[in-house]
Amino acid sequence: MATAPKPSGSDTRSEDRAEASDAVLVIAAQAGQSDAFTHLYRRYVARVHSFALRRLSGRETAEDATQTTFLRALANLHSCREADHFAGWLFAIARNVVYDLQRTHQQHCGLVDLADDLPDPSMSPEHLAILRDADANMRQIWTACLTPREQDALELRLLGLNDKDISIVLRGTHGGIRTMQYRSLRKLHDYLVTHHPEIVQEMVTT
Amino acid sequence: MDSDNHAEPAEDEARHSDSPLHMVMEWLQDSYKVVPPRASFVQGLEQRIAAEAKRTPSYPELSSRPRTPILHNARPSFPRWTFVPLAAALLTLFPIAPAARSTPRRSALADLTDQLCFRLPTGEYNDAGHIYLMNSNGTSPVRVVGDDRLHGKHPDWSPDGTSLVYAEAITGTIWSIRLGDEFSAKLFDPRSFRQFCDYPAWSPDGKRIAFSRYEYEGQYDPRSELTPTRTWIMILDLASGECVPVATSELPYLIDVPRWSPDGKSLVVAIDHFDDDLHNLGSTIATLPLDTGEPEPLLPFTTFAYRPDWNPKSDEIVYSTETYGYTRQPATYADRWNLHAFDLATGHACQLTDVRADEYLSAPTWSSEGTAIYATLSDPLGRFAVRIDPSDGAVTRINGVSPQTQVRAQPGRM
């Protein structure tokens, strides 16, 4: 684990906080500097929400999951032992919160319509439609050929987590996660070649 | 690269911008969209978090937190990742000779009563960790094996409660240590880079050690998730040093994790069934009479039963299950691990616990009187030593400290 710098004083400027590493912010938050966790929240709220939204039907439920995740993380921050792997620890909580909600609401992982949830409301309807189609198309494809665990690993990677963080979320080893990601990409490639050659062709030409 | 069986990380291929997998990854990155919540929600939750954070008491800095006391003489410290391969090589070339029994170094060890041994993972990788003792109420943890080179795991008590036998995670060797001694004694070394030993179990008469011996296709690497191709259940006679296999298995069925029956005439073992891709199709537990060496499964493989332990006072076997299997594909989100007990007298199994879906109970062990069960409870916040009342399934965390795994109660004390 990388040695995390000692938390700075309470007059630390907000800009410094925004650029600080996760480890610095976690240790500062553990030391009682309340604004540090706010910066961690800002850094991860969109990604946690995105992770939840694709596994729960409806924006409200995804927001419930996001809120529960961050409040649970704040309450238990002292138990985050690997400060530089905060992302893995946070998404482990998020994953469990999502599964609890799935069980409570009898929901299952499936495709959600992101029509109301895409990022920028000022986008043109055409651009919005393209983005929505691309996202839905991709998720249909990986649902068809990847196991839920492989989907989780790949999505966490797309959300910016490294292999070590993903191994914390999925309770696997670093090497095992790397191997699984390789196999997932291989399976996706083979599936695309067989079922969606037009996408492969587009990849090659672009 | 051309074979699915070739476990090459994605990054290596992704470095080549024209590789097919690199293109797939780029396509995913282009297609995947992070969807933030509504701005009003983000602001509202941020205000709540800011308020909660101010109410949350300050935590001591990591460096000032109370640390688990380590009762051994200080040794030069090495960066672990530098040291571990070196230690493995040196231990292979120059095995540590069994040390003469020395006098206890710390009176604290001798003063402890009602003890539990457990393993404290140190986090570098799955098998790194050290063996500790603590009182049954979770107080006064002390480290047993002071040698940093020995990463002990799966400790088991001698029947008189004065010694521990354990597996060493890096070299796959079996060791024992008497409480209060400074040095461990090596009991068995597979002397092969492809083999590894684990799960030692001390016989009720104190004269034998049963353990699992594994063989891999390539070099054993404690940091990997390799599945062995062959296993043996071994019995080591402590008086003569003779070590013989009593059962052997090859893929697709592998047996391991032996535990003794109270009369010392049988073992209970776990059997895993794998498919060609080494996914776990099922797991069961089986009795293994030493006179026949033929395992007799007690449950269907679909039970996904793991880690059996025989009640020292009765014919009851406790084991853990995962509802849908440890590595079954596709995995499901409803996985949960609970404890069950199989009564050899009636042939019936019953579920002992009912934990939440994000909790995992594993590695159950009976107390020496057979009246309580100890296990490891994993949840999103860590891994905790717990005590379970088999009469009602109540799960009690021993001291709420994480990580603590592989808990086992001292014979004659609990």
Side-chain angles (χ1 to χ4, degrees):
Chain A
M1 189 174 99
T3 304
K6 192 171 179 162
S8 49
S10 57
D11 59 345
T12 304
R13 293 167 50 197
S14 181
E15 299 80 50
D16 293 341
R17 284 269 197 251
E19 294 174 2
S21 70
D22 284 1
V24 170
L25 292 173
V26 168
I27 292 176
Q30 287 175 329
Q33 296 176 30
S34 57
D35 63 323
F37 189 82
T38 304
H39 285 276
L40 287 167
Y41 163 76
R42 289 176 189 159
R43 189 171 291 176
Y44 286 103
V45 63
R47 285 182 269 178
V48 168
H49 176 266
S50 207
F51 181 81
L53 186 65
R54 287 182 165 82
R55 286 157 180 78
L56 299 165
S57 60
R59 189 162 57 186
E60 283 74 19
T61 319
E63 288 176 351
D64 282 350
T66 306
Q67 174 169 303
T68 305
T69 298
F70 280 100
L71 293 178
R72 195 178 285 185
L74 175 61
N76 296 286
L77 193 62
H78 59 286
S79 67
C80 179
R81 300 294 177 93
E82 295 182 90
D84 50 351
H85 293 297
F86 171 78
W89 180 80
L90 179 70
F91 274 88
I93 295 174
R95 189 168 182 251
N96 285 305
V97 168
V98 164
Y99 297 159
D100 275 348
L101 284 170
Q102 282 180 334
R103 204 170 65 249
T104 305
H105 298 284
Q106 294 294 304
Q107 294 179 344
H108 299 285
C109 181
L111 299 179
V112 288
D113 185 359
L114 301 182
D116 297 328
D117 299 296
L118 279 166
D120 187 355
S122 64
M123 276 180 188
S124 70
E126 293 79 13
H127 193 188
L128 204 65
I130 291 169
L131 282 181
R132 187 179 62 189
D133 288 348
D135 189 280
N137 194 27
M138 179 199 71
R139 281 179 295 114
Q140 274 177 338
I141 288 169
W142 82 8
T143 302
C145 69
L146 300 182
T147 68
R149 186 173 167 83
E150 289 168 340
Q151 292 172 38
D152 281 355
L154 216 45
E155 181 164 8
L156 290 167
R157 180 62 176 270
L158 293 170
L159 287 169
L161 274 67
N162 61 32
D163 295 338
K164 170 69 178 173
D165 288 326
I166 296 171
S167 71
I168 291 171
V169 180
L170 301 183
R171 296 166 187 260
T173 63
H174 190 173
I177 294 299
R178 288 165 64 89
T179 303
M180 183 164 66
Q181 287 179 349
Y182 170 81
R183 286 183 172 166
S184 302
L185 288 176
R186 173 69 71 186
K187 282 164 76 174
L188 267 174
H189 175 262
D190 293 348
Y191 184 87
L192 287 170
V193 168
T194 308
H195 299 281
H196 296 277
E198 74 284 359
I199 294 179
V200 178
Q201 186 60 38
E202 191 182 329
M203 285 182 204
V204 172
T205 53
T206 56
Chain B
M1 286 297 176
D2 296 324
S3 164
D4 279 349
N5 294 326
H6 187 92
E8 194 74 16
E11 288 89 340
D12 291 349
E13 184 156 343
R15 286 196 198 105
H16 306 288
S17 60
D18 57 346
S19 76
L21 300 196
H22 174 82
M23 288 190 295
V24 172
M25 196 68 199
E26 280 201 331
W27 171 72
L28 287 171
Q29 286 166 340
D30 289 343
S31 304
Y32 185 86
K33 301 302 166 203
V34 173
V35 185
R38 292 169 296 183
S40 58
F41 168 82
V42 174
Q43 289 167 1
L45 181 55
E46 182 171 328
Q47 287 171 0
R48 181 167 175 194
I49 282 174
E52 293 280 339
K54 283 178 182 165
R55 279 203 295 270
T56 305
S58 298
Y59 301 111
E61 287 183 30
L62 291 177
S63 59
S64 64
R65 282 190 196 158
R67 294 286 185 178
T68 305
I70 298 176
L71 294 187
H72 68 95
N73 53 329
R75 289 176 178 275
S77 65
F78 298 89
R80 292 194 186 281
W81 278 110
T82 311
F83 187 64
V84 164
L86 179 63
L90 287 176
L91 282 170
T92 305
L93 291 172
F94 308 104
I96 296 173
R101 302 295 189 198
S102 60
T103 54
R105 289 166 300 131
R106 298 287 188 277
S107 60
L109 281 177
D111 293 342
L112 286 176
T113 56
D114 292 350
Q115 291 171 318
L116 305 172
C117 67
F118 66 98
R119 178 171 169 273
L120 182 90
T122 50
E124 291 96 334
Y125 49 92
N126 276 356
D127 281 337
H130 298 293
I131 294 172
Y132 281 69
L133 298 180
M134 64 179 168
N135 292 334
S136 59
N137 60 4
T139 59
S140 304
V142 291
R143 185 161 151 187
V144 179
V145 182
D147 192 329
D148 282 340
R149 295 171 297 180
L150 298 176
H151 288 264
K153 64 175 185 173
H154 298 126
D156 188 28
W157 291 94
S158 62
D160 62 1
T162 61
S163 301
L164 291 170
V165 62
Y166 63 93
E168 203 287 314
I170 309 300
T171 55
T173 44
I174 302 292
W175 297 70
S176 73
I177 187 169
R178 196 164 59 188
L179 294 192
D181 277 8
E182 186 172 1
F183 297 107
S184 297
K186 184 153 67 174
L187 301 179
F188 184 79
D189 187 338
R191 297 189 182 280
S192 165
F193 66 90
R194 292 171 55 203
Q195 293 192 358
F196 185 87
C197 300
D198 203 351
Y199 300 107
W202 216 309
S203 67
D205 61 7
K207 296 177 180 175
R208 295 164 293 171
I209 305 285
F211 61 91
S212 310
R213 185 174 183 173
Y214 304 86
E215 184 170 88
Y216 297 82
E217 279 193 342
Q219 179 167 358
Y220 172 73
D221 180 354
R223 290 159 290 184
S224 75
E225 283 188 330
L226 290 175
T227 300
T229 55
R230 180 183 299 181
T231 67
W232 296 266
I233 301 296
M234 308 291 294
I235 303 280
L236 170 67
D237 186 298
L238 291 173
S240 67
E242 185 184 18
C243 193
V244 295
V246 292
T248 184
S249 65
E250 291 185 358
L251 283 175
Y253 293 95
L254 295 179
I255 64 176
D256 63 354
V257 197
R259 300 297 308 169
W260 290 92
S261 65
D263 63 6
K265 294 179 179 175
S266 296
L267 298 167
V268 61
V269 295
I271 307 179
D272 297 321
H273 182 201
F274 296 90
D275 66 11
D276 291 342
D277 293 327
L278 302 182
H279 293 141
N280 195 181
L281 295 175
S283 295
T284 186
I285 58 174
T287 53
L288 179 66
L290 296 185
D291 54 356
T292 66
E294 291 293 329
E296 299 165 3
L298 302 174
L299 298 160
F301 277 89
T302 51
T303 310
F304 285 97
Y306 301 96
R307 297 298 293 274
D309 194 41
W310 205 313
N311 188 324
K313 301 294 183 187
S314 73
D315 274 343
E316 198 174 18
I317 293 167
V318 66
Y319 56 95
S320 63
T321 63
E322 183 191 3
T323 313
Y324 297 103
Y326 183 46
T327 56
R328 192 173 83 155
Q329 299 291 339
T332 128
Y333 294 138
D335 288 2
R336 60 172 67 190
W337 293 18
N338 269 302
L339 302 190
H340 298 247
F342 185 89
D343 188 337
L344 287 167
T346 64
H348 290 134
C350 67
Q351 183 171 338
L352 297 178
T353 61
D354 186 16
V355 296
R356 299 198 318 255
D358 62 349
E359 292 180 333
Y360 304 82
L361 275 172
S362 62
T365 62
W366 287 102
S367 66
S368 61
E369 294 303 317
T371 53
I373 296 167
Y374 293 88
T376 304
L377 176 74
S378 303
D379 72 8
L381 303 179
R383 284 178 285 173
F384 304 92
V386 295
R387 182 186 294 111
I388 293 137
D389 183 343
S391 63
D392 61 6
V395 179
T396 307
R397 297 187 189 216
I398 289 173
N399 60 5
V401 174
S402 171
Q404 292 180 345
T405 64
Q406 302 167 11
V407 198
R408 193 171 285 278
Q410 187 178 27
R413 301 292 186 96
M414 307 304 292

